[in-house]
Amino acid sequence: MAAPRPPRRPQVAPGEFPYDTRRTPPAPLLVLRVGLPQTEPATAVAALVDSGADITVLPEGLPETLGLPQIGEVAVHGVGDAVRRVPVYAAELKAAGWRGIVEVAGIGGESLLGRDVLNAWIVMLDGPRQTLRVKWD
Protein backbone atom coordinates (compact mmCIF):
# COMPACT_ATOMS: atom_id res chain seq x y z
CA MET A 1 0.00 0.00 0.00
CA ALA A 2 1.51 3.33 -1.03
CA ALA A 3 1.40 6.17 1.47
CA PRO A 4 -0.52 9.29 0.43
CA ARG A 5 1.83 11.91 -0.98
CA PRO A 6 2.27 14.86 1.37
CA PRO A 7 1.38 18.28 -0.01
CA ARG A 8 4.28 20.52 -0.94
CA ARG A 9 3.99 23.52 1.34
CA PRO A 10 6.65 26.15 1.85
CA GLN A 11 8.00 26.71 5.33
CA VAL A 12 7.06 30.22 6.48
CA ALA A 13 10.12 30.69 8.75
CA PRO A 14 12.33 28.30 10.70
CA GLY A 15 10.02 26.27 12.91
CA GLU A 16 6.87 27.65 11.25
CA PHE A 17 4.61 25.67 8.96
CA PRO A 18 1.43 26.79 7.16
CA TYR A 19 -1.87 25.04 7.78
CA ASP A 20 -3.32 22.83 5.06
CA THR A 21 -6.01 25.09 3.61
CA ARG A 22 -7.48 22.26 1.51
CA ARG A 23 -9.16 21.07 4.72
CA THR A 24 -12.30 22.63 6.14
CA PRO A 25 -11.51 24.15 8.52
CA PRO A 26 -7.78 24.57 7.72
CA ALA A 27 -5.60 22.26 9.83
CA PRO A 28 -1.98 22.00 11.02
CA LEU A 29 -0.06 19.32 9.10
CA LEU A 30 3.60 18.37 9.23
CA VAL A 31 5.52 16.22 6.80
CA LEU A 32 7.00 13.26 8.66
CA ARG A 33 9.80 11.06 7.40
CA VAL A 34 9.46 7.51 8.68
CA GLY A 35 11.74 4.48 8.51
CA LEU A 36 13.29 1.58 10.37
CA PRO A 37 14.83 2.45 13.74
CA GLN A 38 18.42 3.67 13.52
CA THR A 39 18.24 4.30 9.76
CA GLU A 40 17.68 7.45 7.72
CA PRO A 41 13.86 7.74 7.44
CA ALA A 42 12.97 7.87 3.74
CA THR A 43 9.17 7.57 3.49
CA ALA A 44 7.34 10.90 3.66
CA VAL A 45 3.77 11.21 4.95
CA ALA A 46 1.68 14.25 5.80
CA ALA A 47 0.43 14.01 9.40
CA LEU A 48 -2.30 15.95 11.12
CA VAL A 49 -1.01 17.49 14.37
CA ASP A 50 -3.39 15.88 16.87
CA SER A 51 -3.03 16.60 20.59
CA GLY A 52 -5.91 14.16 21.18
CA ALA A 53 -3.89 11.19 19.86
CA ASP A 54 -1.90 9.37 22.54
CA ILE A 55 0.61 8.02 20.03
CA THR A 56 1.62 8.75 16.46
CA VAL A 57 -0.46 6.94 13.85
CA LEU A 58 0.41 5.88 10.31
CA PRO A 59 -2.08 4.65 7.69
CA GLU A 60 -3.06 1.02 8.22
CA GLY A 61 -0.65 -1.32 6.44
CA LEU A 62 2.19 1.21 6.11
CA PRO A 63 4.19 -0.04 9.13
CA GLU A 64 4.16 -3.55 7.66
CA THR A 65 5.07 -2.27 4.19
CA LEU A 66 8.06 -0.42 5.66
CA GLY A 67 9.08 -3.52 7.63
CA LEU A 68 8.87 -1.74 10.99
CA PRO A 69 9.40 -4.09 13.94
CA GLN A 70 6.29 -4.80 16.02
CA ILE A 71 7.01 -4.12 19.70
CA GLY A 72 3.60 -4.63 21.29
CA GLU A 73 -0.09 -3.83 21.12
CA VAL A 74 -2.29 -1.00 22.31
CA ALA A 75 -6.03 -0.71 22.95
CA VAL A 76 -7.51 1.95 20.67
CA HIS A 77 -10.79 3.68 21.53
CA GLY A 78 -12.79 4.64 18.47
CA VAL A 79 -16.02 6.44 17.83
CA GLY A 80 -18.90 5.14 19.94
CA ASP A 81 -16.56 3.70 22.58
CA ALA A 82 -15.55 0.78 20.34
CA VAL A 83 -12.23 -0.66 21.53
CA ARG A 84 -9.83 -2.77 19.51
CA ARG A 85 -6.26 -3.90 19.97
CA VAL A 86 -3.77 -2.89 17.28
CA PRO A 87 -0.07 -3.60 16.83
CA VAL A 88 2.50 -0.99 17.87
CA TYR A 89 5.74 -0.61 15.91
CA ALA A 90 9.08 1.10 16.50
CA ALA A 91 9.95 3.73 13.89
CA GLU A 92 12.61 6.33 13.24
CA LEU A 93 10.75 9.61 12.83
CA LYS A 94 12.01 12.91 11.49
CA ALA A 95 9.80 16.02 11.56
CA ALA A 96 10.41 19.79 11.67
CA GLY A 97 14.13 19.22 12.29
CA TRP A 98 13.51 16.83 15.22
CA ARG A 99 14.44 13.16 15.06
CA GLY A 100 13.80 10.20 17.35
CA ILE A 101 12.63 6.63 17.70
CA VAL A 102 8.92 6.51 18.51
CA GLU A 103 6.07 4.05 18.85
CA VAL A 104 3.54 4.16 16.01
CA ALA A 105 0.28 2.36 15.32
CA GLY A 106 -1.17 1.59 11.90
CA ILE A 107 -4.82 2.60 12.01
CA GLY A 108 -7.19 4.00 9.41
CA GLY A 109 -6.12 5.97 6.38
CA GLU A 110 -4.59 9.13 7.85
CA SER A 111 -1.34 9.89 9.67
CA LEU A 112 -1.56 11.64 13.04
CA LEU A 113 1.30 13.22 14.97
CA GLY A 114 0.42 12.38 18.57
CA ARG A 115 1.32 13.51 22.07
CA ASP A 116 4.16 10.97 22.25
CA VAL A 117 6.09 13.41 20.02
CA LEU A 118 4.22 16.67 20.69
CA ASN A 119 4.97 16.48 24.44
CA ALA A 120 8.69 16.78 23.63
CA TRP A 121 8.07 20.03 21.74
CA ILE A 122 6.74 23.51 22.35
CA VAL A 123 3.78 23.74 19.96
CA MET A 124 1.76 26.84 19.09
CA LEU A 125 -1.26 26.80 16.83
CA ASP A 126 -1.75 30.30 15.44
CA GLY A 127 -5.24 29.97 14.00
CA PRO A 128 -5.68 33.54 12.73
CA ARG A 129 -2.39 33.25 10.78
CA GLN A 130 -3.03 29.57 9.98
CA THR A 131 0.51 28.75 11.08
CA LEU A 132 1.94 25.96 13.22
CA ARG A 133 5.06 26.86 15.24
CA VAL A 134 7.26 24.19 16.80
CA LYS A 135 10.51 24.15 18.74
CA TRP A 136 12.19 21.98 21.32
CA ASP A 137 14.97 22.38 23.85
Side-chain angles (χ1 to χ4, degrees), residues 18-71:
Y19 279 22
D20 181 356
T21 56
R22 295 175 299 174
R23 291 176 178 248
T24 304
L29 290 184
L30 275 178
V31 174
L32 310 180
R33 290 218 168 273
V34 184
L36 290 167
Q38 300 180 350
T39 66
E40 184 62 33
T43 301
V45 295
L48 178 67
V49 175
D50 186 352
S51 64
D54 294 340
I55 66 172
T56 295
V57 172
L58 298 176
E60 198 162 348
L62 184 58
E64 295 91 345
T65 299
L66 297 176
L68 301 180
Q70 184 177 341
I71 57 172

Short mmCIF file of all heavy atoms in Angstrom, two decimals, residues 18-71:
data_model
loop_
_atom_site.label_atom_id
_atom_site.label_comp_id
_atom_site.label_asym_id
_atom_site.label_seq_id
_atom_site.Cartn_x
_atom_site.Cartn_y
_atom_site.Cartn_z
N PRO A 18 2.80 26.36 7.45
CA PRO A 18 1.43 26.79 7.16
C PRO A 18 0.43 25.65 7.32
O PRO A 18 0.76 24.49 7.14
CB PRO A 18 1.50 27.23 5.69
CG PRO A 18 2.64 26.46 5.12
CD PRO A 18 3.62 26.27 6.25
N TYR A 19 -0.78 26.01 7.71
CA TYR A 19 -1.87 25.04 7.78
C TYR A 19 -2.18 24.53 6.37
O TYR A 19 -1.92 25.19 5.37
CB TYR A 19 -3.14 25.70 8.32
CG TYR A 19 -3.22 25.86 9.82
CD1 TYR A 19 -2.10 25.87 10.64
CD2 TYR A 19 -4.45 26.03 10.42
CE1 TYR A 19 -2.21 26.02 12.01
CE2 TYR A 19 -4.58 26.20 11.79
CZ TYR A 19 -3.44 26.19 12.58
OH TYR A 19 -3.55 26.35 13.93
N ASP A 20 -2.81 23.37 6.32
CA ASP A 20 -3.32 22.83 5.06
C ASP A 20 -4.69 23.46 4.83
O ASP A 20 -5.66 23.14 5.53
CB ASP A 20 -3.42 21.31 5.15
CG ASP A 20 -3.91 20.68 3.86
OD1 ASP A 20 -4.25 21.40 2.90
OD2 ASP A 20 -3.96 19.44 3.81
N THR A 21 -4.76 24.36 3.87
CA THR A 21 -6.01 25.09 3.61
C THR A 21 -6.96 24.30 2.72
O THR A 21 -8.07 24.77 2.45
CB THR A 21 -5.72 26.47 2.99
OG1 THR A 21 -4.94 26.28 1.80
CG2 THR A 21 -4.97 27.35 3.96
N ARG A 22 -6.56 23.11 2.28
CA ARG A 22 -7.48 22.26 1.51
C ARG A 22 -8.49 21.59 2.44
O ARG A 22 -9.48 21.05 1.97
CB ARG A 22 -6.71 21.20 0.73
CG ARG A 22 -5.81 21.81 -0.35
CD ARG A 22 -4.98 20.76 -1.00
NE ARG A 22 -4.11 20.15 0.02
CZ ARG A 22 -3.33 19.12 -0.19
NH1 ARG A 22 -3.31 18.54 -1.36
NH2 ARG A 22 -2.58 18.64 0.78
N ARG A 23 -8.23 21.63 3.74
CA ARG A 23 -9.16 21.07 4.72
C ARG A 23 -10.12 22.15 5.19
O ARG A 23 -9.77 23.31 5.21
CB ARG A 23 -8.39 20.52 5.92
CG ARG A 23 -7.57 19.30 5.59
CD ARG A 23 -6.76 18.89 6.80
NE ARG A 23 -6.00 17.71 6.52
CZ ARG A 23 -6.22 16.54 7.09
NH1 ARG A 23 -7.16 16.40 7.99
NH2 ARG A 23 -5.50 15.49 6.77
N THR A 24 -11.32 21.71 5.60
CA THR A 24 -12.30 22.63 6.14
C THR A 24 -12.67 22.18 7.53
O THR A 24 -13.24 21.10 7.68
CB THR A 24 -13.55 22.68 5.24
OG1 THR A 24 -13.14 23.02 3.92
CG2 THR A 24 -14.54 23.70 5.75
N PRO A 25 -12.33 22.94 8.56
CA PRO A 25 -11.51 24.15 8.52
C PRO A 25 -10.03 23.81 8.30
O PRO A 25 -9.64 22.65 8.46
CB PRO A 25 -11.72 24.77 9.91
CG PRO A 25 -12.02 23.60 10.80
CD PRO A 25 -12.76 22.61 9.93
N PRO A 26 -9.21 24.82 7.92
CA PRO A 26 -7.78 24.57 7.72
C PRO A 26 -7.16 23.91 8.96
O PRO A 26 -7.61 24.15 10.09
CB PRO A 26 -7.20 25.97 7.49
CG PRO A 26 -8.35 26.74 6.92
CD PRO A 26 -9.57 26.22 7.65
N ALA A 27 -6.16 23.06 8.74
CA ALA A 27 -5.60 22.26 9.83
C ALA A 27 -4.08 22.23 9.79
O ALA A 27 -3.49 22.30 8.71
CB ALA A 27 -6.14 20.84 9.75
N PRO A 28 -3.44 22.09 10.97
CA PRO A 28 -1.98 22.00 11.02
C PRO A 28 -1.50 20.61 10.61
O PRO A 28 -1.90 19.60 11.20
CB PRO A 28 -1.65 22.29 12.49
CG PRO A 28 -2.86 21.85 13.24
CD PRO A 28 -4.03 22.10 12.32
N LEU A 29 -0.67 20.57 9.57
CA LEU A 29 -0.06 19.32 9.10
C LEU A 29 1.44 19.49 9.11
O LEU A 29 1.95 20.58 8.88
CB LEU A 29 -0.48 19.01 7.66
CG LEU A 29 -1.89 18.58 7.37
CD1 LEU A 29 -2.03 18.24 5.89
CD2 LEU A 29 -2.31 17.39 8.18
N LEU A 30 2.14 18.40 9.36
CA LEU A 30 3.60 18.37 9.23
C LEU A 30 3.97 17.18 8.36
O LEU A 30 3.34 16.12 8.45
CB LEU A 30 4.28 18.20 10.59
CG LEU A 30 4.53 19.44 11.40
CD1 LEU A 30 5.18 19.08 12.74
CD2 LEU A 30 5.41 20.43 10.66
N VAL A 31 5.00 17.35 7.56
CA VAL A 31 5.52 16.22 6.80
C VAL A 31 6.45 15.44 7.72
O VAL A 31 7.38 16.01 8.31
CB VAL A 31 6.26 16.69 5.53
CG1 VAL A 31 6.93 15.52 4.84
CG2 VAL A 31 5.29 17.38 4.58
N LEU A 32 6.17 14.15 7.87
CA LEU A 32 7.00 13.26 8.66
C LEU A 32 7.81 12.39 7.71
O LEU A 32 7.31 11.98 6.67
CB LEU A 32 6.15 12.32 9.53
CG LEU A 32 5.03 12.92 10.38
CD1 LEU A 32 4.34 11.79 11.14
CD2 LEU A 32 5.59 13.95 11.33
N ARG A 33 9.02 12.08 8.09
CA ARG A 33 9.80 11.06 7.40
C ARG A 33 9.89 9.88 8.35
O ARG A 33 10.22 10.05 9.52
CB ARG A 33 11.17 11.58 7.04
CG ARG A 33 11.11 12.63 5.95
CD ARG A 33 12.30 12.45 5.01
NE ARG A 33 12.17 13.21 3.80
CZ ARG A 33 11.55 12.80 2.70
NH1 ARG A 33 10.99 11.64 2.66
NH2 ARG A 33 11.50 13.55 1.63
N VAL A 34 9.57 8.70 7.85
CA VAL A 34 9.46 7.51 8.68
C VAL A 34 10.33 6.40 8.08
O VAL A 34 10.41 6.26 6.87
CB VAL A 34 7.99 7.02 8.74
CG1 VAL A 34 7.84 5.84 9.67
CG2 VAL A 34 7.06 8.16 9.15
N GLY A 35 10.95 5.61 8.97
CA GLY A 35 11.74 4.48 8.51
C GLY A 35 12.05 3.53 9.66
O GLY A 35 11.58 3.71 10.79
N LEU A 36 12.85 2.53 9.35
CA LEU A 36 13.29 1.58 10.37
C LEU A 36 14.11 2.28 11.43
O LEU A 36 14.83 3.23 11.13
CB LEU A 36 14.14 0.48 9.72
CG LEU A 36 13.39 -0.50 8.81
CD1 LEU A 36 14.38 -1.33 8.00
CD2 LEU A 36 12.50 -1.40 9.65
N PRO A 37 14.01 1.83 12.69
CA PRO A 37 14.83 2.45 13.74
C PRO A 37 16.31 2.42 13.38
O PRO A 37 16.80 1.46 12.79
CB PRO A 37 14.54 1.56 14.96
CG PRO A 37 13.19 0.99 14.70
CD PRO A 37 13.14 0.78 13.21
N GLN A 38 16.99 3.49 13.72
CA GLN A 38 18.42 3.67 13.52
C GLN A 38 18.83 3.66 12.05
O GLN A 38 19.93 3.25 11.70
CB GLN A 38 19.22 2.66 14.34
CG GLN A 38 18.93 2.80 15.82
CD GLN A 38 19.69 1.82 16.68
OE1 GLN A 38 20.33 0.90 16.20
NE2 GLN A 38 19.65 2.04 17.98
N THR A 39 17.92 4.10 11.18
CA THR A 39 18.24 4.30 9.76
C THR A 39 17.75 5.69 9.38
O THR A 39 16.99 6.33 10.12
CB THR A 39 17.54 3.27 8.85
OG1 THR A 39 16.13 3.48 8.88
CG2 THR A 39 17.88 1.85 9.24
N GLU A 40 18.16 6.16 8.22
CA GLU A 40 17.68 7.45 7.72
C GLU A 40 16.25 7.25 7.23
O GLU A 40 16.00 6.49 6.29
CB GLU A 40 18.57 7.94 6.58
CG GLU A 40 18.20 9.31 6.06
CD GLU A 40 18.31 10.42 7.10
OE1 GLU A 40 19.20 10.36 7.98
OE2 GLU A 40 17.50 11.36 7.03
N PRO A 41 15.25 7.92 7.86
CA PRO A 41 13.86 7.74 7.44
C PRO A 41 13.65 8.30 6.03
O PRO A 41 14.01 9.44 5.75
CB PRO A 41 13.05 8.53 8.46
CG PRO A 41 14.01 9.12 9.43
CD PRO A 41 15.40 8.82 8.98
N ALA A 42 13.09 7.48 5.14
CA ALA A 42 12.97 7.87 3.74
C ALA A 42 11.54 8.05 3.25
O ALA A 42 11.31 8.71 2.25
CB ALA A 42 13.67 6.83 2.86
N THR A 43 10.56 7.49 3.95
CA THR A 43 9.17 7.57 3.49
C THR A 43 8.50 8.80 4.08
O THR A 43 8.46 8.96 5.30
CB THR A 43 8.40 6.30 3.90
OG1 THR A 43 9.05 5.16 3.31
CG2 THR A 43 6.95 6.36 3.44
N ALA A 44 7.98 9.66 3.21
CA ALA A 44 7.34 10.90 3.66
C ALA A 44 5.83 10.73 3.71
O ALA A 44 5.23 10.17 2.78
CB ALA A 44 7.70 12.05 2.72
N VAL A 45 5.23 11.19 4.80
CA VAL A 45 3.77 11.21 4.95
C VAL A 45 3.37 12.54 5.58
O VAL A 45 4.11 13.09 6.39
CB VAL A 45 3.23 10.04 5.81
CG1 VAL A 45 3.48 8.70 5.15
CG2 VAL A 45 3.81 10.05 7.20
N ALA A 46 2.22 13.04 5.19
CA ALA A 46 1.68 14.25 5.80
C ALA A 46 0.85 13.82 7.01
O ALA A 46 -0.01 12.94 6.89
CB ALA A 46 0.82 15.02 4.81
N ALA A 47 1.13 14.40 8.17
CA ALA A 47 0.43 14.01 9.40
C ALA A 47 -0.29 15.20 10.01
O ALA A 47 0.28 16.29 10.13
CB ALA A 47 1.42 13.43 10.41
N LEU A 48 -1.53 14.96 10.39
CA LEU A 48 -2.30 15.95 11.12
C LEU A 48 -1.73 16.06 12.53
O LEU A 48 -1.50 15.05 13.19
CB LEU A 48 -3.77 15.51 11.18
CG LEU A 48 -4.73 16.41 11.95
CD1 LEU A 48 -4.90 17.74 11.22
CD2 LEU A 48 -6.08 15.72 12.10
N VAL A 49 -1.47 17.27 12.99
CA VAL A 49 -1.01 17.49 14.37
C VAL A 49 -2.23 17.31 15.26
O VAL A 49 -3.18 18.07 15.17
CB VAL A 49 -0.38 18.89 14.51
CG1 VAL A 49 -0.02 19.18 15.95
CG2 VAL A 49 0.84 19.02 13.61
N ASP A 50 -2.19 16.27 16.12
CA ASP A 50 -3.39 15.88 16.87
C ASP A 50 -3.06 15.68 18.34
O ASP A 50 -2.62 14.60 18.75
CB ASP A 50 -3.95 14.59 16.27
CG ASP A 50 -5.28 14.18 16.88
OD1 ASP A 50 -5.71 14.79 17.89
OD2 ASP A 50 -5.89 13.23 16.37
N SER A 51 -3.32 16.69 19.16
CA SER A 51 -3.03 16.60 20.59
C SER A 51 -3.98 15.63 21.29
O SER A 51 -3.76 15.28 22.45
CB SER A 51 -3.10 17.98 21.24
OG SER A 51 -4.41 18.50 21.16
N GLY A 52 -5.00 15.15 20.61
CA GLY A 52 -5.91 14.16 21.18
C GLY A 52 -5.45 12.73 20.96
O GLY A 52 -6.00 11.80 21.53
N ALA A 53 -4.42 12.54 20.12
CA ALA A 53 -3.89 11.19 19.86
C ALA A 53 -2.79 10.87 20.85
O ALA A 53 -1.82 11.63 20.97
CB ALA A 53 -3.37 11.11 18.43
N ASP A 54 -2.92 9.76 21.57
CA ASP A 54 -1.90 9.37 22.54
C ASP A 54 -0.56 9.08 21.88
O ASP A 54 0.49 9.44 22.40
CB ASP A 54 -2.33 8.13 23.32
CG ASP A 54 -3.55 8.36 24.20
OD1 ASP A 54 -3.83 9.54 24.53
OD2 ASP A 54 -4.20 7.38 24.56
N ILE A 55 -0.62 8.35 20.73
CA ILE A 55 0.61 8.02 20.03
C ILE A 55 0.48 8.42 18.57
O ILE A 55 -0.62 8.70 18.08
CB ILE A 55 0.99 6.51 20.13
CG1 ILE A 55 -0.03 5.63 19.42
CG2 ILE A 55 1.17 6.10 21.57
CD1 ILE A 55 0.40 4.17 19.32
N THR A 56 1.59 8.42 17.88
CA THR A 56 1.62 8.75 16.46
C THR A 56 1.04 7.59 15.66
O THR A 56 1.28 6.42 15.97
CB THR A 56 3.06 9.09 16.04
OG1 THR A 56 3.44 10.27 16.77
CG2 THR A 56 3.18 9.34 14.57
N VAL A 57 0.25 7.93 14.64
CA VAL A 57 -0.46 6.94 13.85
C VAL A 57 -0.05 7.08 12.38
O VAL A 57 0.06 8.19 11.86
CB VAL A 57 -2.00 7.16 13.98
CG1 VAL A 57 -2.77 6.28 13.01
CG2 VAL A 57 -2.44 6.92 15.41
N LEU A 58 0.17 5.94 11.75
CA LEU A 58 0.41 5.88 10.31
C LEU A 58 -0.77 5.16 9.66
O LEU A 58 -1.48 4.40 10.33
CB LEU A 58 1.70 5.10 10.01
CG LEU A 58 2.98 5.71 10.57
CD1 LEU A 58 4.16 4.78 10.29
CD2 LEU A 58 3.23 7.09 10.00
N PRO A 59 -0.98 5.36 8.35
CA PRO A 59 -2.08 4.65 7.69
C PRO A 59 -1.92 3.13 7.86
O PRO A 59 -0.80 2.60 7.82
CB PRO A 59 -1.93 5.05 6.22
CG PRO A 59 -1.24 6.37 6.27
CD PRO A 59 -0.29 6.28 7.43
N GLU A 60 -3.05 2.47 8.04
CA GLU A 60 -3.06 1.02 8.22
C GLU A 60 -2.31 0.34 7.08
O GLU A 60 -2.49 0.68 5.92
CB GLU A 60 -4.51 0.52 8.27
CG GLU A 60 -4.67 -0.83 8.85
CD GLU A 60 -6.09 -1.11 9.28
OE1 GLU A 60 -6.91 -0.19 9.34
OE2 GLU A 60 -6.36 -2.28 9.57
N GLY A 61 -1.43 -0.59 7.43
CA GLY A 61 -0.65 -1.32 6.44
C GLY A 61 0.72 -0.72 6.17
O GLY A 61 1.63 -1.43 5.75
N LEU A 62 0.90 0.59 6.40
CA LEU A 62 2.19 1.21 6.11
C LEU A 62 3.31 0.69 7.00
O LEU A 62 4.41 0.42 6.51
CB LEU A 62 2.09 2.74 6.18
CG LEU A 62 3.36 3.50 5.80
CD1 LEU A 62 3.82 3.16 4.38
CD2 LEU A 62 3.14 5.00 5.96
N PRO A 63 3.09 0.51 8.31
CA PRO A 63 4.19 -0.04 9.13
C PRO A 63 4.69 -1.40 8.61
O PRO A 63 5.90 -1.63 8.57
CB PRO A 63 3.57 -0.17 10.52
CG PRO A 63 2.49 0.86 10.55
CD PRO A 63 1.94 0.86 9.15
N GLU A 64 3.77 -2.25 8.20
CA GLU A 64 4.16 -3.55 7.66
C GLU A 64 4.91 -3.39 6.35
O GLU A 64 5.92 -4.06 6.10
CB GLU A 64 2.94 -4.46 7.46
CG GLU A 64 2.23 -4.84 8.74
CD GLU A 64 1.11 -3.88 9.12
OE1 GLU A 64 1.04 -2.75 8.57
OE2 GLU A 64 0.30 -4.25 9.98
N THR A 65 4.42 -2.51 5.47
CA THR A 65 5.07 -2.27 4.19
C THR A 65 6.50 -1.78 4.38
O THR A 65 7.40 -2.18 3.63
CB THR A 65 4.26 -1.23 3.37
OG1 THR A 65 2.96 -1.74 3.14
CG2 THR A 65 4.93 -0.92 2.04
N LEU A 66 6.72 -0.95 5.39
CA LEU A 66 8.06 -0.42 5.66
C LEU A 66 8.93 -1.42 6.42
O LEU A 66 10.13 -1.18 6.61
CB LEU A 66 7.96 0.88 6.47
CG LEU A 66 7.26 2.05 5.78
CD1 LEU A 66 7.14 3.23 6.73
CD2 LEU A 66 7.99 2.43 4.51
N GLY A 67 8.33 -2.52 6.88
CA GLY A 67 9.08 -3.52 7.63
C GLY A 67 9.42 -3.09 9.05
O GLY A 67 10.39 -3.57 9.64
N LEU A 68 8.60 -2.20 9.63
CA LEU A 68 8.87 -1.74 10.99
C LEU A 68 8.67 -2.90 11.97
O LEU A 68 7.73 -3.68 11.83
CB LEU A 68 7.92 -0.58 11.36
CG LEU A 68 7.99 0.67 10.49
CD1 LEU A 68 7.00 1.72 10.99
CD2 LEU A 68 9.40 1.24 10.45
N PRO A 69 9.54 -2.99 12.98
CA PRO A 69 9.40 -4.09 13.94
C PRO A 69 8.23 -3.86 14.90
O PRO A 69 8.09 -2.77 15.45
CB PRO A 69 10.73 -4.07 14.70
CG PRO A 69 11.25 -2.68 14.54
CD PRO A 69 10.74 -2.19 13.22
N GLN A 70 7.39 -4.89 15.05
CA GLN A 70 6.29 -4.80 16.02
C GLN A 70 6.87 -4.97 17.41
O GLN A 70 7.67 -5.88 17.67
CB GLN A 70 5.23 -5.87 15.76
CG GLN A 70 4.05 -5.72 16.70
CD GLN A 70 2.94 -6.72 16.43
OE1 GLN A 70 2.86 -7.31 15.37
NE2 GLN A 70 2.09 -6.91 17.43
N ILE A 71 6.47 -4.07 18.33
CA ILE A 71 7.01 -4.12 19.70
C ILE A 71 5.93 -4.32 20.75
O ILE A 71 6.22 -4.35 21.93
CB ILE A 71 7.83 -2.84 20.01
CG1 ILE A 71 6.98 -1.59 19.82
CG2 ILE A 71 9.08 -2.80 19.14
CD1 ILE A 71 7.64 -0.32 20.29
#
